[in-house]
Amino acid sequence: MSQINPVEHRGRVPPAADINITVGLKIIGHEQELACHANISLLPNELLGFIFDIAHIATPFERTTKLPTEVLISHVCQHWRNLALALPELWSNITLPCSNPKGLERSLTYLKRTSQYPLDLLLDFRARGGSHGEPEEIIWLTVLDHATRWRSLTVRLSSAHGLASTSIALQDISVPLLERFEVVSSVSSPLGPASQRIFGGGAPSLRWLRVTNIPFQQCRPPLLTLTKLELCLSEKARLSGMKFVGLLKSVPSLKYLSLGGGVVNGLLNPVVAGREIVEMPHLLEFQLADPRMVLSYYLALVSAPQLHTLVLHDVADDISQRTIPTIRGNYPALHTLTLVDPHYSLFFITPIQKALPTVVHFNVMQADSESLTQTILDDIAQCEAVMVPDDVGNDHGGGVIGWPDLKSITYAPPPHRLDMLFKLVLTRAAAGCPLMSLTLPGPHDTKDVHRLRLGLG
């Protein structure tokens, strides 16, 4: 408690602030004394630093109101503060919001504490203040001196001016450690007057590129070393068919490809017909996401002999009959097909079964309703029940099951009726192609579960 001298104050109550400061100092001193004797303080610095790093990684990259984990850690006691300041990795995630002067000041402090450690940067130009263009220039001047230490760079934009300043700032620099580059616009950016290459000094470690609502040719890094590419382009930023084909040919090491927002303006009939196929020998996962996307075009264009996973997200188009032979030869190792938020048509499943006959795991996720899940299930069960052959257009008995190697099915949400699921399970068991597992979230009647288990392999 605070000690008040009665002679000095002569009965006057001292200001509350005086008492709070005194009491606060004594409380802090007591907590620090306890912390020095706490069991956790007996841990070796290496182990304690490892715990700090886990806590730091677990926090979101983007901070808004609460103090960052590394700051909270450094305020516990002097021992923790000394250790935290000696760990540059704790300060290597740096967010620069251009509308927050304190954020810029904090980032400068972080940069000093990182020493020569690799940096993960998030530059947010979506809310600019001050004169036109000034925040971007200040932020770029702050971080460009450390470009040789960038490990990941995320740039968020909301204007064509922001895109122009970003392209100019990144045009000739060298980023030897950069592994991931992401540029995202919250609004559709119009095409500029000319193409703009970035990282002209080289980006030999670049593996992951994500571009959203940005004209790709105006912010194009070196692509040769990419293993993961995500493109989601608005109508104003789409590529021509020829440029898209050229883009795919320029990423020979790609393992993951995600295309959304249409990507391509118009169609190339020779490509659709399968007369031009892009070989992607290392591609393992392919995701297509857009209800306006012409599914046959993309599946017929890419040949990926090692591809194991295909994800169709928000896709509504059917596979055309004329492209089925081409698509079937493009993906001989495919084993997982996932429909996410599907826009389903009655003629969707049969062409997919014919074009992609090697499916082992089939998943329907985030369907709009149980009735949509039920429709998909009913069509699959009906096709399997009549033994759809893979080389004849008309359904009749005595053929081959659409997916002879199918082993597992996941439905989320589950269908509201299980009668067709029973039919599917029993049909496959009778044909010698039993399912091995079913995943149906939610509570189910015990008798139904038992019946399904009897039909599984």
Side-chain angles (χ1 to χ4, degrees):
M1 293 293 294
S2 171
Q3 300 296 321
I4 302 175
N5 189 324
V7 176
E8 178 183 349
H9 293 279
R10 299 183 184 278
R12 177 176 61 86
V13 177
D18 294 342
I19 298 177
N20 290 339
I21 290 173
T22 306
V23 173
L25 286 174
K26 288 189 175 183
I27 290 176
I28 291 174
H30 181 59
E31 288 182 346
Q32 288 179 337
E33 183 178 356
L34 289 176
C36 291
H37 293 87
N39 290 334
I40 194 170
S41 296
L42 302 178
L43 293 176
N45 285 345
E46 294 81 3
L47 183 54
L48 197 56
F50 181 69
I51 295 172
F52 291 172
D53 196 34
I54 292 176
H56 164 71
I57 293 173
T59 37
F61 186 65
E62 198 170 359
R63 290 112 174 192
T64 52
T65 55
K66 295 182 179 180
L67 284 175
T69 301
E70 58 271 12
V71 174
L72 294 173
I73 288 173
S74 68
H75 288 184
V76 172
C77 65
Q78 191 63 48
H79 174 53
W80 282 29
R81 180 172 181 79
N82 293 340
L83 182 55
L85 295 180
L87 296 171
E89 58 268 31
L90 288 185
W91 314 96
S92 62
N93 283 1
I94 299 175
T95 301
L96 277 160
C98 65
S99 60
N100 185 354
K102 290 185 178 180
L104 180 59
E105 183 180 350
R106 175 182 290 174
S107 298
L108 292 173
T109 302
Y110 274 39
L111 285 171
K112 293 177 182 178
R113 293 177 179 178
T114 57
S115 184
Q116 296 301 310
Y117 197 82
L119 302 174
D120 300 307
L121 300 177
L122 169 58
L123 311 183
D124 193 344
F125 298 123
R126 290 176 298 180
R128 294 185 292 107
S131 62
H132 187 71
E134 183 178 352
E136 288 95 335
E137 295 174 2
I138 294 174
I139 290 178
W140 283 121
L141 287 174
T142 301
V143 300
L144 282 174
D145 287 340
H146 305 272
T148 55
R149 294 198 286 133
W150 296 354
R151 179 171 54 191
S152 70
L153 174 63
T154 299
V155 182
R156 296 183 177 172
L157 306 168
S158 60
S159 68
H161 180 272
L163 174 60
S165 63
T166 296
S167 299
I168 293 172
L170 301 178
Q171 183 174 3
D172 297 319
I173 66 171
S174 173
V175 283
L177 300 183
L178 188 68
E179 298 174 0
R180 173 175 176 171
F181 177 53
E182 178 179 350
V183 56
V184 179
S185 176
S186 58
V187 296
S188 299
S189 298
L191 292 172
S195 62
Q196 179 70 64
R197 301 295 179 99
I198 60 174
F199 305 143
S205 302
L206 189 62
R207 299 291 184 268
W208 185 350
L209 174 64
R210 183 184 181 196
V211 178
T212 303
N213 279 350
I214 300 293
F216 184 69
Q217 59 269 36
Q218 289 182 241
C219 200
R220 176 170 175 160
L223 304 175
L224 190 61
T225 58
L226 282 186
T227 59
K228 185 171 185 177
L229 175 61
E230 298 179 58
L231 294 179
C232 184
L233 306 182
S234 63
E235 185 174 355
K236 295 179 181 179
R238 290 177 185 169
L239 301 170
S240 68
M242 292 301 295
K243 286 184 177 179
F244 177 65
V245 171
L247 168 63
L248 294 184
K249 290 180 178 180
S250 65
V251 284
S253 302
L254 208 63
K255 296 182 179 180
Y256 175 93
L257 176 61
S258 176
L259 303 175
V263 180
V264 174
N265 259 331
L267 295 175
L268 288 176
N269 289 328
V271 176
V272 176
R275 289 198 289 270
E276 179 169 5
I277 296 177
V278 179
E279 300 289 340
M280 306 191 75
H282 303 289
L283 192 65
L284 302 177
E285 184 170 344
F286 192 9
Q287 177 167 318
L288 298 169
D290 195 293
R292 298 161 296 177
M293 185 173 287
V294 181
L295 187 58
S296 295
Y297 170 83
Y298 293 94
L299 294 182
L301 173 63
V302 175
S303 175
Q306 294 192 58
L307 188 84
H308 57 66
T309 299
L310 176 63
V311 180
L312 305 179
H313 190 159
D314 200 26
V315 171
D317 189 54
D318 293 332
I319 293 178
S320 66
Q321 291 290 329
R322 64 174 180 169
T323 60
I324 286 177
T326 301
I327 295 173
R328 182 164 23 190
N330 283 352
Y331 310 103
L334 182 73
H335 61 66
T336 299
L337 174 63
T338 299
L339 307 182
V340 182
D341 192 17
H343 294 259
Y344 189 70
S345 69
L346 293 177
F347 306 101
F348 191 66
I349 286 298
T350 300
I352 282 186
Q353 287 182 320
K354 292 180 180 181
L356 305 170
T358 60
V359 171
V360 178
H361 309 289
F362 178 64
N363 310 304
V364 179
M365 312 297 293
Q366 300 175 20
D368 287 340
S369 65
E370 293 180 354
S371 60
L372 178 57
T373 308
Q374 186 71 51
T375 302
I376 297 174
L377 170 61
D378 290 353
D379 275 14
I380 293 178
Q382 187 63 33
C383 290
E384 300 290 280
V386 297
M387 301 290 192
V388 178
D390 61 0
D391 57 350
V392 179
N394 297 320
D395 301 339
H396 60 81
V400 180
I401 279 185
W403 283 323
D405 298 322
L406 188 67
K407 298 301 180 185
S408 72
I409 295 179
T410 298
Y411 287 108
H416 53 80
R417 300 190 334 269
L418 297 182
D419 53 332
M420 294 302 289
L421 191 56
F422 296 142
K423 185 176 182 179
L424 173 63
V425 169
L426 294 176
T427 299
R428 297 193 64 90
C433 306
L435 291 173
M436 303 303 293
S437 70
L438 284 170
T439 302
L440 304 171
H444 299 284
D445 186 88
T446 305
K447 293 182 180 179
D448 291 340
V449 173
H450 180 66
R451 287 179 63 192
L452 290 173
R453 283 179 175 171
L454 290 177
L456 296 177

